[in-house]
């Protein structure tokens, strides 16, 4: 008995089915990877508002921006946030950089404040980046709807 060759439309159908199945499995494996890397809150979404500060003092310019904020959960509560900054600071002779206070505030669905914290850092002259941990009072991660950062200029600084 001699077999018939597969027809072109049937081959095309098989290729399309294979592509669809591969895409579904790839998307599912990506979802598993994301959920294993970081525990996600049991809510639809959390909105992050990152800030940028640009200023000058005489002929010296500075710019600081928050690149990311990562909430640090312990079980079902958030106790701290890690903020990543990028900055460019021009400092006069005798000064190591510019001092800034970086704040993080957490809000609920109604815009009510849940907790906030800040850290004051001397950002060295030049172009740099770094991460800083900001302690927060314990807050249930399910209540956090938005995270907002702010940057306040404090003046010149010297590292002892």
């Amino acid at each position: 008995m001699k077999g018939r060759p597969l027809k072109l439309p049937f081959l095309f159908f098989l290729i399309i089915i294979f592509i669809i199945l591969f895409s579904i499995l790839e998307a599912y494996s990506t979802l598993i990877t994301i959920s294993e890397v970081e525990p996600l809150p049991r809510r639809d979404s959390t909105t992050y508002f990152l800030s940028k500060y640009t200023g000058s003092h005489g002929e010296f310019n500075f710019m600081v921006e928050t690149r990311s904020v990562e909430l640090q959960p312990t079980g079902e509560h958030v106790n701290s946030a890690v903020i990543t900054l990028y900055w460019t600071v021009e400092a006069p002779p005798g000064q190591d950089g510019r001092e800034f206070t970086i704040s993080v505030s957490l809000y609920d669905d109604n815009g009510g404040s849940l907790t906030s914290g800040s850290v004051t850092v001397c950002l060295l002259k030049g172009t740099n980046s770094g991460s800083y941990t900001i302690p927060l009072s314990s807050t249930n991660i399910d209540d956090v709807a938005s995270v907002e950062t702010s940057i306040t200029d404090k003046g010149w600084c010297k590292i002892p």
Side-chain angles (χ1 to χ4, degrees):
M1 181 172 190
K2 189 174 181 182
R4 288 188 335 189
L6 294 175
K7 297 199 177 207
L8 190 59
F10 183 69
L11 282 174
F12 183 71
F13 174 75
L14 286 177
I15 291 171
I16 296 297
I17 293 296
F18 176 76
I19 291 172
I20 291 172
L21 288 175
F22 181 77
S23 299
I24 290 171
L25 292 175
E26 183 67 26
Y28 181 69
S29 68
T30 302
L31 177 65
I32 290 172
T33 303
I34 291 172
S35 64
E36 287 175 357
V37 169
E38 179 182 338
L40 300 174
R42 293 178 298 272
R43 58 181 298 115
D44 291 336
S45 66
T46 301
T47 305
Y48 291 84
F49 297 98
L50 304 181
S51 55
K52 181 175 182 177
Y53 180 88
T54 304
S56 64
H57 189 273
E59 61 188 55
F60 303 102
N61 300 313
F62 28 90
M63 180 276 301
V64 181
E65 66 182 18
T66 54
R67 289 284 172 98
S68 68
V69 177
E70 181 181 343
L71 300 179
Q72 298 293 302
T74 303
E76 294 184 2
H77 291 83
V78 175
N79 297 314
S80 63
V82 175
I83 187 166
T84 302
L85 301 176
Y86 173 82
W87 69 88
T88 301
V89 173
E90 297 172 6
Q95 300 295 333
D96 292 328
R98 195 83 176 168
E99 191 173 62
F100 293 93
T101 298
I102 313 301
S103 302
V104 173
S105 300
L106 307 182
Y107 298 97
D108 63 15
D109 289 310
N110 298 321
S113 178
L114 296 171
T115 184
S116 63
S118 64
V119 63
T120 299
V121 293
C122 179
L123 301 180
L124 299 177
K125 59 183 162 186
T127 301
N128 299 295
S129 64
S131 296
Y132 302 91
T133 301
I134 299 175
L136 303 168
S137 60
S138 185
T139 302
N140 189 320
I141 196 166
D142 294 333
D143 295 337
V144 179
S146 64
V147 179
E148 185 175 321
T149 65
S150 64
I151 302 169
T152 307
D153 182 13
K154 301 300 241 179
W156 298 115
C157 59
K158 283 194 67 61
I159 296 178

